[in-house]
Amino acid sequence: MKLLYPTNVDGEPELPARVTLVRYDPSSPIPEQDRDAELLVSWGSTVELMREAAAALHRLRWVQSLAAGPDVELAAGFDERVVITSGRSLHDATVAEHALALILGGLRGLHLLVASQPEHRWRGDLSGPRVERAGGRLETLHGARVLVWGFGSIGQTLAPHLRALGARVTGVARQAGERAGYPVIAGDQLRAALPETDVLVMILPHAEGGGPALGAELLELLPSRAWVVNVGRGSTVDEDALVQTLRAGRIAGAALDVFRAEPLPVDSPLWDLPNVIISPHSAGGRPRDAAALVAENLAALLEDRPLRNVVAR
């Protein structure tokens, strides 16, 4: 039994003797001699290459994506008999860390300081004695109300860091209640919560059909001091509505790691807005403990047990 394992991932899983690991380049088509593989670990490939793999690997039984959201693998058209599992949990720490950096960067005006540095310009307006929340501005997480929309494993990893800095964290999920010690509201309670939100963190997956989750109507509900931070999927935010909201000064700013089209087109108005931080989809990109997840799921597959992170199609 052959397992195809990408060359852009460190380490290798412990495998039973009956399984042979073969490294492959995820930026190139699967070599002819390896198209008899039954097992495929996918990371950093394109939809086009995955479609080629789906058409060529006729013996394939299982695809393990190392992405938290396996959009590429789901779009590839694998046979329905092929089990697809995601890399959910592999990016929790790195995405949470990046989200925290974006939040703090926005609130503390680091993007403004970096922009002034090449001009050798001392931003006196951002230094000296400060009165917190004077003039309605928000410059600290202490006492801030942070709403995390998409309170899964990444959100639950981020929440303790926010709380440690004095923020009051509430999650948004399909069902209200409590998760990991934090209050969680359901989607039908979102409209009531947004007017009191200081930071809205988006960690939603891509959803087929319908429009973006965060559109003009919901953006209108945020207070002028609010920041929007998106480390989920670019399709979940209406970029046109966000641009209009930012231009009008109806919210304080946005820190975005994901976009509707990637790379972000050079003519996107987001590039030129002074209250926007642009990050090139770099929050994740470092799947931790990937080998352990692959080994765990492979053992479950061989023993006919349920696999972890199975993705419904």
Side-chain angles (χ1 to χ4, degrees), residues 56-101:
L57 302 179
H58 299 295
R59 300 182 60 188
L60 199 62
R61 297 175 54 190
W62 166 52
V63 175
Q64 171 66 66
S65 172
L66 300 185
D71 303 335
V72 168
E73 294 76 19
L74 289 174
F78 287 102
D79 190 283
E80 291 185 356
R81 292 170 293 183
V82 176
V83 178
I84 298 178
T85 51
S86 77
R88 184 178 183 271
S89 81
L90 301 182
H91 305 271
D92 292 356
T94 53
V95 176
E97 184 179 83
H98 199 82
L100 180 62

Side-chain angles (χ1 to χ4, degrees), residues 8-308:
N8 58 354
V9 179
D10 292 334
E12 295 181 355
E14 294 185 10
L15 303 176
R18 61 186 285 199
V19 178
T20 301
L21 185 145
V22 175
R23 288 278 193 168
Y24 76 99
D25 179 1
S27 65
S28 301
I30 303 295
E32 186 73 34
Q33 67 271 19
D34 294 323
R35 294 184 178 183
D36 58 344
E38 297 180 52
L39 316 167
L40 173 66
V41 176
S42 173
W43 175 240
S45 190
T46 64
V47 172
E48 291 73 19
L49 287 172
M50 277 294 103
R51 283 176 179 156
E52 289 185 28
L57 302 179
H58 299 295
R59 300 182 60 188
L60 199 62
R61 297 175 54 190
W62 166 52
V63 175
Q64 171 66 66
S65 172
L66 300 185
D71 303 335
V72 168
E73 294 76 19
L74 289 174
F78 287 102
D79 190 283
E80 291 185 356
R81 292 170 293 183
V82 176
V83 178
I84 298 178
T85 51
S86 77
R88 184 178 183 271
S89 81
L90 301 182
H91 305 271
D92 292 356
T94 53
V95 176
E97 184 179 83
H98 199 82
L100 180 62
L102 291 176
I103 294 168
L104 290 173
L107 296 186
R108 303 305 298 241
L110 296 187
H111 56 302
L112 302 176
L113 302 180
V114 170
S116 299
Q117 189 168 329
E119 303 171 5
H120 299 195
R121 182 160 59 100
W122 183 268
R123 290 297 298 259
D125 57 322
L126 299 177
S127 66
R130 314 289 288 178
V131 177
E132 289 187 358
R133 294 183 179 266
R137 68 174 181 261
L138 179 69
E139 298 177 323
T140 176
L141 275 172
H142 183 75
R145 296 178 182 270
V146 181
L147 196 62
V148 181
W149 193 357
F151 203 62
S153 57
I154 295 173
Q156 291 170 42
T157 301
L158 172 63
H161 298 296
L162 298 171
R163 177 181 279 176
L165 292 173
R168 290 175 282 181
V169 182
T170 300
V172 184
R174 289 189 179 91
Q175 294 184 337
E178 182 179 293
R179 290 189 189 181
Y182 296 88
V184 174
I185 64 173
D188 58 1
Q189 300 170 281
L190 184 63
R191 295 177 63 86
L194 287 176
E196 301 300 321
T197 296
D198 296 311
V199 180
L200 174 62
V201 183
M202 305 284 293
I203 320 180
L204 291 173
H206 173 72
E208 295 290 345
L214 183 64
E217 187 177 354
L218 294 183
L219 284 166
E220 287 281 354
L221 298 177
L222 287 167
S224 60
R225 65 182 180 275
W227 273 78
V228 172
V229 177
N230 191 7
V231 292
R233 285 292 182 267
S235 60
T236 64
V237 174
D238 184 334
E239 287 182 9
D240 296 332
L242 180 61
V243 167
Q244 293 178 13
T245 301
L246 290 164
R247 280 176 171 166
R250 292 197 297 271
I251 62 173
L256 310 170
D257 184 58
V258 289
F259 303 89
R260 181 173 56 202
E262 297 182 1
L264 183 65
V266 295
D267 60 351
S268 170
L270 289 168
W271 288 111
D272 299 314
L273 293 174
N275 52 349
V276 172
I277 298 174
I278 292 175
S279 171
H281 204 146
S282 56
R286 310 159 189 84
R288 292 183 179 171
D289 301 320
L293 176 61
V294 171
E296 177 187 337
N297 267 344
L298 176 58
L301 182 75
L302 297 178
E303 296 167 14
D304 199 26
R305 293 186 285 107
L307 278 66
R308 180 174 152 196

